[in-house]
Amino acid sequence: MSPARFPAGPTTSKGEPTRIGSARPSHLVTTTGVGSVVDLPSMSVIVRGLDDWSLERSSVIQEPRLLQRVQMALGGGVQRLQSAPHDPSADDDPWTRVGVPVAPFPGWLRCPRCHRLGPMQPGQFDFVHRYGRRPDLAKWVHSGCTKQAGRSTAKRRACLPARFIATCEAGHVDDFPYEPFVHHGVGAACPGPRYTMRDTASTRGPNVVVRCECGQQRNMIEAAGTVGSARLPRCRGRHPHLGTFEKCGRELKMMVLGASNLWFSITASALHLPQEGAARDVVVANWDLLGELPNAGVLGRLIAGMPDLRALRDVPTDAVWSLVEKVRAEGGPAPATVQEDLLSAEWDLLSRPTTDRQDADFRAEPTSAPAGYGDVITQVVLVKRLLEVKALLGFTRIDGPNNMLRPPNYVSPARGVPQWLPAVEQRGEGIFLELEEAAVARWVKHVHGNERIRSIAEAGRRWKSNRGQEYDDTWPIERYLLLHTLSHLLMRQVALECGYSSSSIRERLYVGMPHQPAAGILLSTASADSEGTLGGLVALGEPKYLKYLLDRAVADGTRCSSDPLCADHVPTDFSETRHAAACHACLLASETSCECNNAWLDRALVLALPGKEHLAFLNGS
């Protein structure tokens, strides 16, 4: 799928939104979604809320399981999942309205020639974009720059977005309050403030001086940290992606533009599962459309033209219509059972010894465990084709959502409860490993109450407590630590062999519920840009190749260049570090690959580290 567009706030003489950049549809859910600040070639913008999106070139994504889970988290007001607006035929059309709206943010700019710092106001900074087919040339210029007086507007250097912004723990974000900060809260003493911003070399922090023509000046390092927050005014509750203000009053924190903790996406994903019961299940899933048909006259054309009905193309039209009439006589489909855990149904399918349920978006083939690992691995499933649907529910700032769909610092992508959410379909391949339940249960019983696990659990409890959240004592931490660590060990090794980049491989862990335990790992790669797969990942699931990967993962993971510091590490009494023997040299993975931000890891629980052999799940016995 080709990039989606970003029509911006400024408009041209034709009154059309100006195309100023592009992003992949999948990025609109994961990295550049609603409320995120996007760094374009010559400017910085924030993606506006769903209320301002146009769905003219968007389609509904059918994934009932995911929609039900989203409704449980956000409420029944969410009615559907939609793809990002996209029109492949309009790639070169400079006036297309297809795209995602953005607004300039931050609202302060700095001239790179005269160092003038000021708000984005007409007459002081001008927007220049004369080349519709070159969005990378869109820019803001300083109209009053004395050092560029002889140059035309189009040839002037692009102004830079002010590098500092302010945010609070509730998820509000705003321009940095330069006026009260520079004037020590007495901005009224300077009726016409004019600022310059200059950088000086420093290794101690943001050594940037902002000076007003009235003589007042201040170093930005004074606004950094907890002490610096006390020098800033209180948060005024701004949501620039929605264009709203709300009551807040929390403490502001200075943040550098582009900081990794400025925006964390809150996403939920589900794998497509083949329909069991074939034609009837497809009819039920699309009842909103098929139930309105007065007769079978257009049924054949609908089935031929709609991708959601492709499973009915091999069924006679008369038989499909009979099913429609039967469901209608029953009063419509029965309400679907809502599953709080999306992974349960996936585990039930992937862990089956046979794969009798397959369709165009799910093809799997069980194979045997590699030699030497039969006592810990029950089976390996080669998932040659899978479809993952991922939806964006909202976002947080400063602190990540920690696998919660509605954390305390949740920020909505729309004003009120959204009626729809952006989602993306990604097709790919994967390898599923089912561990031997008896071996896992014995190991869990053996390590239960161990000091290392208690230390990690206490760190997790402190992490939650410091953010106003409650720690779940029923959570199977031993089982999760085992699966997560083994997943990272294997994922790092697979990335060296399969041909995909390490950041494109993702994990999906199945630990089950307290009353129904599970032990499975799915390593997959998927993309919204391709209907097929390379096959490199699935090929590594064959017993002879998987044995080599596991052997190498065990050998490489047993040694770390940071040992013994890494191997002996456990969280201290005041630490929030939710891992033990794990570091970038041995276990940590890309943020896009890990499902919990590289937390809950410990090599000593899987591999026989010196002095800790009794804890290892793979101890060679």
Side-chain angles (χ1 to χ4, degrees), residues 461-479:
R461 194 184 308 274
R462 283 189 294 271
W463 193 95
K464 289 256 187 178
S465 177
N466 293 339
R467 290 157 179 79
Q469 304 173 20
E470 293 185 2
Y471 183 81
D472 184 7
D473 291 315
T474 65
W475 182 55
I477 180 173
E478 298 91 353
R479 188 177 290 260

Side-chain angles (χ1 to χ4, degrees), residues 56-212:
E56 183 179 350
R57 292 291 187 271
S58 175
S59 58
V60 177
I61 294 179
Q62 299 286 352
E63 185 49 61
R65 295 172 53 244
L66 181 57
L67 181 60
Q68 291 173 5
R69 186 67 184 95
V70 168
Q71 290 172 338
M72 290 181 61
L74 303 185
V78 182
Q79 301 173 6
R80 63 191 185 279
L81 306 176
Q82 295 271 165
S83 65
H86 172 64
D87 186 0
S89 64
D91 282 344
D92 296 325
D93 183 2
W95 304 110
T96 178
R97 299 184 65 90
V98 178
V100 176
V102 299
F105 185 85
W108 285 62
L109 299 173
R110 182 173 72 90
C111 178
R113 294 288 292 147
C114 66
H115 306 290
R116 175 69 67 191
L117 173 70
M120 197 179 294
Q121 295 177 347
Q124 184 173 1
F125 295 98
D126 297 328
F127 181 72
V128 179
H129 187 25
R130 299 181 179 178
Y131 309 96
R133 298 179 187 273
R134 291 292 305 276
D136 57 301
L137 298 181
K139 61 182 179 180
W140 292 90
V141 298
H142 183 200
S143 55
C145 181
T146 57
K147 294 189 176 183
Q148 302 181 88
R151 294 188 176 186
S152 64
T153 303
K155 293 184 178 181
R156 296 193 177 195
R157 290 184 61 181
C159 289
L160 307 174
R163 56 187 288 195
F164 300 101
I165 56 177
T167 185
C168 79
E169 294 180 349
H172 302 116
V173 66
D174 207 343
D175 293 308
F176 186 85
Y178 292 102
E179 295 188 14
F181 176 71
V182 173
H183 295 92
H184 297 267
V186 289
C190 182
R194 290 169 60 85
Y195 303 99
T196 57
M197 174 184 284
R198 293 180 180 271
D199 299 7
T200 56
S202 173
T203 59
R204 299 177 56 188
N207 195 15
V208 180
V209 176
V210 179
R211 179 180 291 105
C212 179

Side-chain angles (χ1 to χ4, degrees), residues 224-238:
T226 304
V227 176
S229 295
R231 300 187 177 110
L232 302 179
R234 292 286 174 168
C235 177
R236 57 178 183 164
R238 184 187 180 195

Side-chain angles (χ1 to χ4, degrees), residues 506-526:
R506 292 191 293 275
E507 65 183 359
R508 202 169 179 88
L509 306 181
Y510 300 88
V511 298
M513 308 296 286
H515 61 281
Q516 189 177 3
I521 300 169
L522 174 65
L523 300 183
S524 66
T525 182

Side-chain angles (χ1 to χ4, degrees), residues 578-620:
R578 294 161 292 162
H579 65 75
C583 69
H584 286 284
C586 62
L587 213 57
L588 304 188
S590 304
E591 291 184 359
T592 55
S593 301
C594 180
E595 68 173 28
C596 60
N597 299 320
N598 284 318
W600 313 111
L601 295 165
D602 187 2
R603 283 186 298 135
L605 301 180
V606 179
L607 307 175
L609 302 187
K612 308 170 187 65
E613 293 86 353
H614 62 288
L615 298 176
F617 179 70
L618 301 176
N619 57 15

